């Protein structure tokens, strides 16, 4: 497949480069042309020449010479590269000059190394550009190879004056476009994921097990980890690489630079600095953290001061500020607060980043006069080195360093935005091993060292459980914070919305005729017969000798019956009091008026002499035609109701290019027609178009997609692309907010009549074919998604559900697997689909959470309180903890209770009086009693258990009366223990046991009393065999 080039980005960026040149910024102003030559050198990772190529074309083009002259740009490259560059060539002459772009000329490199003719054309172009004397070059870029040598020789012979324009070009490229920022955000996200999920966890394991691991080996392990998808935040592994080998340092030997490599010494459990950066699709990111094992108070104070300095640095990094001023502001804080640290702080505080990892001309130091611009991305790094450790007992502990760094983006106003979201407070990077009172008298130095080296590490897990919070306690603490924030946000939101009163829609008033002149002049009307005017959808009936029109919308229903010689036609009308559903009084424009409820007409079935038809024929025809008109009217009304609130979409811009991303042989849900049909889904300029084999078309625009979900076929029988839309679209005469395209994988139904052996060749072959088909489909869908994301410049991003976080539940009638994505909770395989956007959720409440129940329900309350709550029923209790953990990680507040609540009533109460609701504590009413108090939850629970299950001896007499209430339960419990526990009965089958149960039920009162007595004496929790919770003890 031919490589595609983003022409818009190329034009935009080339225009920007020429604009900087014409403005005469820095060294660029004095040059007559810019020359960029790129050779082949595998060792050069970062070079300004290759960075410029990547910025313009999206790819590196080796053995290519680029000339930027005043009115034209010339590219000399091999035939294949010229074919690729034809996408941006603009023909002869200065076509592009009018819109700030030069005309592009392409020259094909000759196979022999001389290329004299081509070189002469290039040199001629240089001589003709402006003064033809001074050339802008990248002085540091020197590529090997014969082609580069011959070009440099040809250039040298002409005696041009060369000026280094690296800094000026870097400045032109420094402010990133939104497309570039999206790639850098992704790179930063992968770096954060790799650090948190791999490096930090691995260090914890090493400290836990007291392993001896070399820095270099750990750095290699980090590099290998990027080959595993679970650490890549869903990115394509082929587009991910390290910016530099990870740098891990500890044990007193520190160098806070990015040019060093991890040494071969073993990791020391003190201050462990780690620097790593991921490059995603050529764009870099960087992250620096220091993990501290058992940090002293002094170390913690130094680290807290480092955090303060970074905050100051982020505040100062704003549009228009000079880099030297930013540096000075940070140094002022050091001078005022900790002057003794001035000599220990890093020489610079960061540098600009992009396609190149470090931009040498945009470093944050005391001399740099360059100004910051919105969209620039910096790696900010603050470090303190050679800090003395007063509590040191070994040589490697005597000094330590602290290093902290993030990838940040300069914003227009306000502090810089941090892209690497890895927590950095002391509690997040500190690993605490031992208690303070552990330091006892040391018998001798060797014994102390042995103690420190072994027992403190071995005791790590037990000490951690003592000192650190359990997962449940952490969740509770976080949920408490969320509860306060939730109530405040909800109160503010409701107060703002209070003024917007919702007006109830009155029923449309249908008028038959605007004036009497429009009344039809038909014979039936004159003869006082019932006449149906199809044009105006009205029925003209004689009422007290007057032809009275009634619109078809006013008729509720009609019925006809024949009794003896007469036919009766009964017409019922809509009026207040007839069953129209809720709030019926409000839907009539004038409910105080007088209404006709029903009219009955009678006509004879006997033909009068001289007449051709019987009088009743008029009623029979009226009955038939009214039914027809009514059906037509209702169908039209239903269609109009579906169209109500439909937001008009933009038109789809068709891309006539045949290389559009396309998926064939897909089914659409919901179906366009009654029968499901296959079709093809194609991505165009601003949206998708699905075309069925019959020719039906469904358009979905990118800007109308709220969630795009890709459900792979792992563990499923279909593979799905699901689109949850912001605004509903119409097709098949109905409105739809969820549209999905799928194809089946393997057989959904299996023939159980096949009596085949499990190792049958046909079966094995079929399984192998299905595996291959699944793999092919997955690859095709993934390729389609990647192309679409590239086409939309990452604006449309497909989410993949996290199957490992999924849980079973019934949002509708049947149970299905609900899976979270990064921004929603979805089920796309069953129909109707289930999609809940997490940003719209206010809180989650678990109902029926009781120890004896296997399932519980989950209620989703939305931020829009007028919206009906969503219920997911029958979730297995085993999923409760994982769901809580997931919700907590998403910063969503959850509560739980034992009862099912009337949510319609609750939401109405809140909406009617929001202020009163929040004055009484807001959503805290859902919390279990005593949750907010300082009382220990464990204590109250144990007391409750004692009261419920273990009656004290003093109260036994009082309880005798109440024993009768649950004697049957005690019998059942005791019986189950005896029958299942005894050795004699262990071999009995179910029939025998049931027979014994029947006999036991017929036992005499004496045995029943004896059984009850035994049930009371039994100690321990009897809840095992008990189907219902026991009743509370009477005091």
């Amino acid at each position: 497949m031919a490589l595609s080039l983003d022409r818009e980005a190329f034009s935009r960026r080339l225009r920007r480069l020429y604009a900087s040149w014409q403005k005469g910024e820095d060294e660029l102003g004095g040059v007559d042309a810019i020359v960029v030559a790129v050779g082949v050198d595998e060792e050069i990772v970062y070079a300004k020449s290759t960075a410029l190529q990547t910025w313009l074309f999206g790819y590196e083009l080796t053995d290519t010479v680029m000339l930027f002259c005043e009115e034209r740009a010339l590219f000399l490259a091999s035939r294949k590269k010229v074919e690729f560059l034809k996408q941006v060539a603009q023909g002869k002459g200065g076509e592009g000059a009018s819109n700030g772009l030069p005309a592009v000329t392409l020259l094909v490199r000759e196979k022999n190394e001389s290329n004299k003719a081509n070189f002469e054309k290039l040199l001629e172009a240089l001589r003709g550009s402006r003064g033809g004397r001074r050339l802008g070059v990248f002085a540091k870029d020197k590529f090997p190879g014969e082609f580069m040598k011959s070009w440099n020789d040809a250039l040298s012979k002409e005696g041009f004056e060369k000026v280094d324009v690296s800094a000026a070009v870097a400045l032109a490229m420094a402010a990133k476009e939104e497309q570039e920022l999206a790639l850098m955000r992704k790179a930063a996200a992968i770096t954060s994921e790799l650090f948190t999920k791999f490096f930090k966890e691995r260090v914890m394991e090493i400290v836990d097990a007291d392993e001896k691991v070399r820095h270099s080996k750990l750095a290699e392990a980090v590099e290998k980890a990027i080959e595993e998808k679970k650490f890549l935040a869903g990115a394509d592994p082929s587009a991910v690489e390290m910016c530099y080998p990870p740098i891990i340092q500890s044990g007193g030997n520190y160098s806070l630079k990015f040019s060093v490599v991890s040494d071969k010494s073993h990791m020391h459990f003190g201050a462990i600095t780690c620097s790593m950066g991921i490059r995603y699709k050529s764009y870099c990111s960087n992250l620096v953290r220091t993990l501290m094992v058992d940090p002293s108070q002094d170390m913690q104070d130094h680290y807290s001061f480092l955090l303060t300095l970074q905050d100051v640095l982020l505040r100062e990094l704003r549009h228009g500020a000079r880099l030297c001023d930013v540096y000075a502001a940070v140094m002022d804080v050091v001078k005022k607060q900790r002057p003794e640290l001035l000599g220990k702080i890093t020489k610079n505080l960061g540098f600009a980043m992009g396609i190149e990892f470090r931009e040498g001309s945009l470093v944050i130091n005391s001399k740099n006069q360059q100004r910051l611009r919105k969209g620039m991305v910096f790696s900010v790094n603050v470090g303190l080195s050679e800090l003395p450790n007063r509590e040191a007992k070994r040589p490697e502990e005597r000094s330590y360093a602290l290093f902290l760094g993030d990838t940040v983006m300069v914003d227009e106003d306000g502090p810089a935005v941090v892209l690497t979201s890895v927590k950095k407070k002391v509690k997040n990077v500190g690993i605490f091993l031992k208690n303070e009172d552990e330091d006892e008298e040391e018998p001798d130095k060797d014994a102390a060292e042995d103690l420190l080296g072994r027992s403190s590490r071995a005791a790590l897990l037990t000490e951690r459980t003592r000192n650190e919070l359990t997962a449940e306690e952490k969740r509770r603490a976080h949920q408490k914070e969320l509860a306060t924030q939730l109530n405040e946000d909800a109160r503010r939101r409701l107060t703002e919305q209070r003024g917007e009163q919702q007006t109830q829609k009155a029923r449309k008033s249908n008028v038959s005729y605007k004036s009497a002149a429009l009344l039809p002049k038909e014979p039936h009307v004159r003869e006082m017969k019932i006449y149906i005017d199809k044009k105006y959808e009205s029925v003209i009936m004689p009422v007290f000798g007057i032809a009275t029109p009634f619109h078809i919308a006013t008729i509720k229903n009609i019925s006809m019956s024949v009794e003896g010689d007469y036919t009766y036609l009964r017409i019922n009308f809509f009026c207040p009091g007839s069953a129209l559903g809720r709030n019926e009084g409000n839907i009539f424009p004038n409910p105080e008026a007088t209404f006709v409820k029903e009219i009955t007409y009678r006509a004879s079935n006997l033909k009068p002499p001289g007449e051709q038809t019987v009088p009743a024929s008029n009623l029979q025809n009226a009955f038939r035609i009214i039914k027809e008109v009514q059906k037509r009217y209702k169908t039209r009304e239903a269609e109009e109701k579906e169209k109500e609130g439909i937001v008009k979409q933009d038109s789809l811009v068709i891309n006539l290019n045949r290389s559009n991303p396309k998926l064939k042989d897909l089914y659409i849900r919901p179906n366009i027609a009654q029968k499901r049909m296959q079709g093809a889904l194609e991505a165009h300029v601003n949206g998708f178009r699905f075309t069925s084999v019959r020719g039906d078309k469904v358009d979905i625009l990118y800007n109308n997609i709220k969630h795009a979900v890709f459900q792979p076929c792992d563990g499923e029988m279909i593979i799905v692309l699901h689109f949850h839309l912001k605004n509903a679209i119409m097709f098949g005469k109905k409105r739809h907010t969820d549209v999905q395209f799928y194809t089946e994988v393997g057989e959904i139904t299996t023939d159980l009549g096949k009596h085949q052996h499990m190792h049958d060749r046909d079966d094995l072959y079929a399984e192998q074919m299905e595996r291959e088909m699944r793999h092919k489909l997955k690859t095709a869908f993934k390729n389609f998604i990647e192309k679409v994301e590239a086409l939309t410049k990452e604006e449309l991003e497909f989410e993949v559900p996290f199957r490992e976080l999924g849980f079973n539940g019934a949002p509708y009638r049947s149970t299905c697997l609900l899976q979270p994505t990064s921004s929603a909770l979805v089920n796309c395989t069953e129909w109707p689909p289930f999609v809940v956007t997490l940003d719209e959720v206010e809180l989650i409440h678990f109902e029926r959470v009781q120890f004896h129940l296997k399932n519980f329900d989950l209620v989703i309350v939305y931020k829009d309180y007028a919206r009906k709550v969503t219920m997911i029923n029958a979730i297995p209790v085993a999923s409760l903890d994982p769901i809580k953990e997931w919700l907590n990680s998403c910063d969503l507040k959850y509560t739980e209770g034992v009862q099912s609540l009337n949510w319609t009533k609750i939401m109405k109460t809140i909406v009617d009086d929001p202020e009163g609701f929040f004055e009484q504590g807001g959503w805290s009413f859902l919390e279990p009693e005593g949750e907010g108090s300082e009382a220990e939850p464990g204590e109250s629970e144990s007391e409750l258990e004692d009261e419920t299950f273990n009656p004290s001896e003093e109260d036994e007499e009082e309880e005798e009366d109440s024993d009768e209430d649950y004697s049957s339960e005690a019998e059942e419990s005791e019986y189950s223990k005896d029958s299942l526990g005894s050795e004699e009965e262990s071999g009995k089958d179910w029939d025998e046991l049931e027979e014994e149960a029947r006999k036991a039920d017929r036992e005499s009162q004496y045995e029943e009393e004896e059984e009850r007595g035994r049930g009371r004496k039994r100690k321990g929790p009897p809840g095992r065999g008990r189907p219902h919770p026991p009743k509370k003890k009477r005091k």
Side-chain angles (χ1 to χ4, degrees), residues 812-1017:
Y812 304 114
R813 288 180 184 176
S814 60
T815 302
C816 58
L817 181 67
L818 299 158
Q819 302 172 77
T821 69
S822 51
S823 62
L825 177 65
V826 301
N827 169 262
C828 303
T829 49
E830 303 286 329
W831 196 263
F834 178 82
V835 182
V836 169
T837 308
L838 298 182
D839 285 346
E840 294 173 2
V841 174
E842 181 82 310
L843 88 149
I844 307 285
H845 182 66
F846 305 119
E847 291 185 342
R848 300 190 308 111
V849 180
Q850 295 184 47
F851 76 95
H852 67 282
L853 294 178
K854 290 181 181 177
N855 299 322
F856 67 94
D857 302 334
L858 184 149
V859 180
I860 299 169
V861 181
Y862 296 98
K863 288 177 181 172
D864 176 7
Y865 289 174
R867 189 172 165 187
K868 193 181 174 186
V869 299
T870 300
M871 284 201 74
I872 302 171
N873 300 316
I875 303 170
V877 165
S879 303
L880 184 60
D881 263 7
I883 293 173
K884 284 181 178 178
E885 193 59 51
W886 164 62
L887 291 173
N888 200 48
S889 68
C890 297
D891 288 341
L892 282 174
K893 170 71 184 151
Y894 64 78
T895 53
E896 64 180 78
V898 292
Q899 294 172 317
S900 293
L901 303 172
N902 184 344
W903 284 97
T904 314
K905 217 170 188 179
I906 291 169
M907 298 315 290
K908 189 178 184 305
T909 310
I910 296 169
V911 174
D912 289 350
D913 183 18
E915 285 175 12
F917 172 70
F918 288 110
E919 275 168 17
Q920 289 167 14
W923 291 106
S924 59
F925 80 94
L926 291 170
E927 300 279 4
E929 285 176 26
E931 179 72 22
S933 66
E934 293 300 313
E936 289 183 17
E939 196 174 306
S940 60
E941 282 172 48
S942 63
E943 279 172 14
L944 184 68
E945 277 178 25
D946 290 344
E947 278 189 28
T948 314
F949 298 131
N950 299 328
S952 62
E953 290 174 17
E954 297 165 19
D955 297 326
E956 274 185 16
E957 290 173 20
E958 290 177 27
E959 283 189 343
E960 278 185 350
D961 298 333
S962 64
D963 275 352
E964 290 174 18
D965 295 339
Y966 57 88
S967 60
S968 59
E969 291 172 8
E971 281 170 29
E972 190 181 334
S973 173
E974 195 64 46
Y975 167 69
S976 65
K977 276 193 168 185
D978 290 345
S979 61
L980 295 173
S982 64
E983 290 176 7
E984 296 168 8
E985 293 167 1
S986 60
K988 293 182 181 179
D989 63 15
W990 285 109
D991 292 336
E992 289 174 53
L993 291 169
E994 279 177 7
E995 186 58 41
E996 280 186 18
R998 285 192 204 98
K999 283 178 188 174
D1001 289 341
R1002 295 190 212 104
E1003 290 293 337
S1004 67
Q1005 184 63 35
Y1006 167 75
E1007 286 173 347
E1008 190 177 315
E1009 286 293 329
E1010 191 178 55
E1011 189 79 4
R1012 198 185 308 144
R1014 267 192 290 161
R1016 264 205 312 276
K1017 285 173 191 173

Side-chain angles (χ1 to χ4, degrees), residues 154 275 779:
S275 311
T779 310

Side-chain angles (χ1 to χ4, degrees), residues 331-383:
M331 289 303 142
D332 285 347
V333 175
V334 180
K335 283 172 192 168
K336 284 175 189 169
Q337 294 183 19
R338 303 289 291 272
E340 72 278 9
L341 297 177
L342 271 172
K344 300 185 185 300
I345 201 160
T346 43
K347 288 180 182 175
N348 65 61
L349 303 178
F351 44 80
M353 262 196 322
I355 297 168
E356 287 188 274
F357 175 68
R358 184 179 187 276
E359 182 43 65
S361 61
L362 291 169
V363 176
I364 306 171
N365 58 25
S366 57
K367 296 173 185 173
N368 202 328
Q369 298 291 320
Q370 292 287 8
R371 290 192 181 275
L372 292 162
R373 294 180 191 172
K374 185 191 172 187
M376 284 184 172
V377 176
F378 277 79
S379 169
V380 294
N381 316 294
V382 192

Side-chain angles (χ1 to χ4, degrees), residues 678-896:
Q678 281 192 326
L681 181 69
E682 193 169 0
H684 291 283
V685 176
N686 65 335
F688 296 103
R689 170 164 282 182
F690 176 79
T691 312
S692 72
V693 288
R694 201 176 70 176
D696 304 284
K697 290 182 174 63
V698 176
D699 294 344
I700 299 171
L701 300 186
Y702 301 140
N703 60 10
N704 190 31
I705 295 172
K706 196 175 197 177
H707 298 290
V709 180
F710 167 50
Q711 173 71 64
C713 49
D714 304 325
E716 302 288 354
M717 296 309 291
I718 57 173
I719 185 166
V720 181
L721 288 182
H722 184 94
F723 299 111
H724 182 65
L725 308 178
K726 294 173 189 171
N727 301 306
I729 58 169
M730 286 283 293
F731 64 87
K733 294 185 180 176
K734 287 190 179 175
R735 54 192 291 172
H736 305 287
T737 318
D738 288 281
V739 185
Q740 62 177 226
F741 305 96
Y742 71 98
T743 189
E744 288 165 0
V745 187
E747 295 178 13
I748 288 183
T749 53
T750 307
D751 185 2
L752 297 175
K754 290 179 185 173
H755 295 291
Q756 292 179 339
H757 194 263
M758 64 180 283
H759 295 301
D760 193 311
R761 281 186 183 179
D762 289 347
D763 273 9
L764 291 170
Y765 179 70
E767 280 179 25
Q768 189 181 341
M769 290 298 288
E770 188 179 315
R771 272 198 299 274
E772 285 175 15
M773 186 184 173
R774 280 174 182 269
H775 181 67
K776 276 182 186 171
L777 280 170
K778 223 192 300 186
T779 310
F781 272 70
K782 279 184 179 174
N783 288 342
F784 175 78
I785 286 166
E786 282 169 12
K787 286 178 193 169
V788 169
E789 286 180 345
L791 180 73
T792 58
K793 303 184 176 95
E794 306 280 339
E795 282 175 25
L796 178 67
E797 205 166 334
F798 282 83
E799 302 173 53
V800 180
F802 303 114
R803 196 176 179 83
E804 61 275 12
L805 294 177
F807 57 91
N808 288 307
Y812 304 114
R813 288 180 184 176
S814 60
T815 302
C816 58
L817 181 67
L818 299 158
Q819 302 172 77
T821 69
S822 51
S823 62
L825 177 65
V826 301
N827 169 262
C828 303
T829 49
E830 303 286 329
W831 196 263
F834 178 82
V835 182
V836 169
T837 308
L838 298 182
D839 285 346
E840 294 173 2
V841 174
E842 181 82 310
L843 88 149
I844 307 285
H845 182 66
F846 305 119
E847 291 185 342
R848 300 190 308 111
V849 180
Q850 295 184 47
F851 76 95
H852 67 282
L853 294 178
K854 290 181 181 177
N855 299 322
F856 67 94
D857 302 334
L858 184 149
V859 180
I860 299 169
V861 181
Y862 296 98
K863 288 177 181 172
D864 176 7
Y865 289 174
R867 189 172 165 187
K868 193 181 174 186
V869 299
T870 300
M871 284 201 74
I872 302 171
N873 300 316
I875 303 170
V877 165
S879 303
L880 184 60
D881 263 7
I883 293 173
K884 284 181 178 178
E885 193 59 51
W886 164 62
L887 291 173
N888 200 48
S889 68
C890 297
D891 288 341
L892 282 174
K893 170 71 184 151
Y894 64 78
T895 53
E896 64 180 78

Side-chain angles (χ1 to χ4, degrees), residues 340-625:
E340 72 278 9
L341 297 177
L342 271 172
K344 300 185 185 300
I345 201 160
T346 43
K347 288 180 182 175
N348 65 61
L349 303 178
F351 44 80
M353 262 196 322
I355 297 168
E356 287 188 274
F357 175 68
R358 184 179 187 276
E359 182 43 65
S361 61
L362 291 169
V363 176
I364 306 171
N365 58 25
S366 57
K367 296 173 185 173
N368 202 328
Q369 298 291 320
Q370 292 287 8
R371 290 192 181 275
L372 292 162
R373 294 180 191 172
K374 185 191 172 187
M376 284 184 172
V377 176
F378 277 79
S379 169
V380 294
N381 316 294
V382 192
L384 295 169
S385 55
E386 294 178 12
L387 295 168
N389 183 4
R390 296 186 190 93
E391 297 173 17
K393 287 163 187 166
R394 297 178 180 185
E396 62 265 32
E397 293 174 0
R398 281 175 193 153
S399 74
Y400 63 92
L402 299 172
F403 203 14
L404 182 65
D406 282 292
T407 303
V408 304
M409 181 190 79
V410 177
D411 215 347
E412 195 152 7
D413 45 350
V417 180
V418 179
L419 304 183
T420 39
S421 54
V422 176
K423 292 177 180 176
K424 52 198 168 195
K425 289 183 180 174
V426 175
K427 65 179 181 182
N428 306 122
V429 295
I431 303 168
F432 298 90
L433 297 176
K434 60 182 186 292
N435 289 329
E436 289 173 11
D437 51 299
E438 229 179 49
D439 302 322
E440 295 170 13
E441 289 180 14
E442 296 173 8
D444 56 71
K445 194 177 175 183
D446 295 340
E449 283 186 8
D450 187 50
L451 237 144
L452 256 155
R454 291 182 195 164
S455 58
S456 68
R457 299 276 141 35
L460 171 62
L461 288 171
T462 52
E463 293 301 337
R464 178 172 295 164
T465 53
R466 248 180 262 163
N467 295 338
E468 291 187 10
L469 297 170
T470 62
E472 179 60 30
E473 284 169 339
K474 280 181 185 172
R475 280 208 301 262
R476 279 189 187 167
H478 187 216
Q479 286 295 313
K480 207 178 261 186
E481 291 169 22
L482 289 175
T484 316
Q485 191 183 337
L486 170 75
N487 280 335
E488 286 172 9
D489 292 351
R491 191 173 197 162
R492 188 172 61 250
R493 197 171 61 248
L494 282 178
T495 311
E496 286 167 8
Q497 290 172 359
R498 194 87 192 275
E500 302 166 17
Q501 293 296 322
Q502 288 191 341
T503 53
Q504 191 155 31
K505 202 171 177 187
R507 193 170 186 220
K508 191 168 74 177
S509 179
N510 291 294
V511 177
S512 295
Y513 304 105
K514 288 180 181 175
S515 68
L518 294 171
L519 209 68
K521 309 287 191 288
E522 297 290 326
H524 276 64
V525 178
R526 287 197 300 274
E527 292 165 11
M528 293 298 158
K529 290 181 180 177
I530 296 174
Y531 175 74
I532 293 93
D533 187 349
K534 289 184 182 179
K535 184 184 174 184
Y536 287 97
E537 293 178 328
S538 295
V539 182
I540 298 163
M541 309 177 200
V543 179
F544 299 121
I546 299 165
T548 312
F550 289 87
H551 194 276
I552 200 78
T554 61
I555 296 173
K556 186 179 174 187
N557 53 43
I558 56 170
S559 63
M560 191 173 71
S561 59
V562 178
E563 293 177 20
D565 295 339
Y566 292 98
T567 296
Y568 293 87
L569 180 69
R570 181 179 174 183
I571 303 171
N572 292 320
F573 296 92
F574 284 116
C575 61
S578 61
L580 270 168
R582 292 179 184 176
N583 308 322
E584 52 171 23
N586 300 340
I587 64 172
F588 289 94
N590 185 9
E592 299 300 318
T594 305
F595 287 82
V596 176
K597 190 175 181 184
E598 66 175 75
I599 295 179
T600 306
Y601 291 95
R602 187 182 77 167
S604 173
N605 292 333
L606 304 173
K607 190 162 74 168
E611 292 290 331
Q612 290 183 344
T613 57
V614 294
S617 63
N618 174 246
L619 297 189
Q620 289 160 3
N621 286 337
F623 177 77
R624 180 176 54 79
I625 298 167

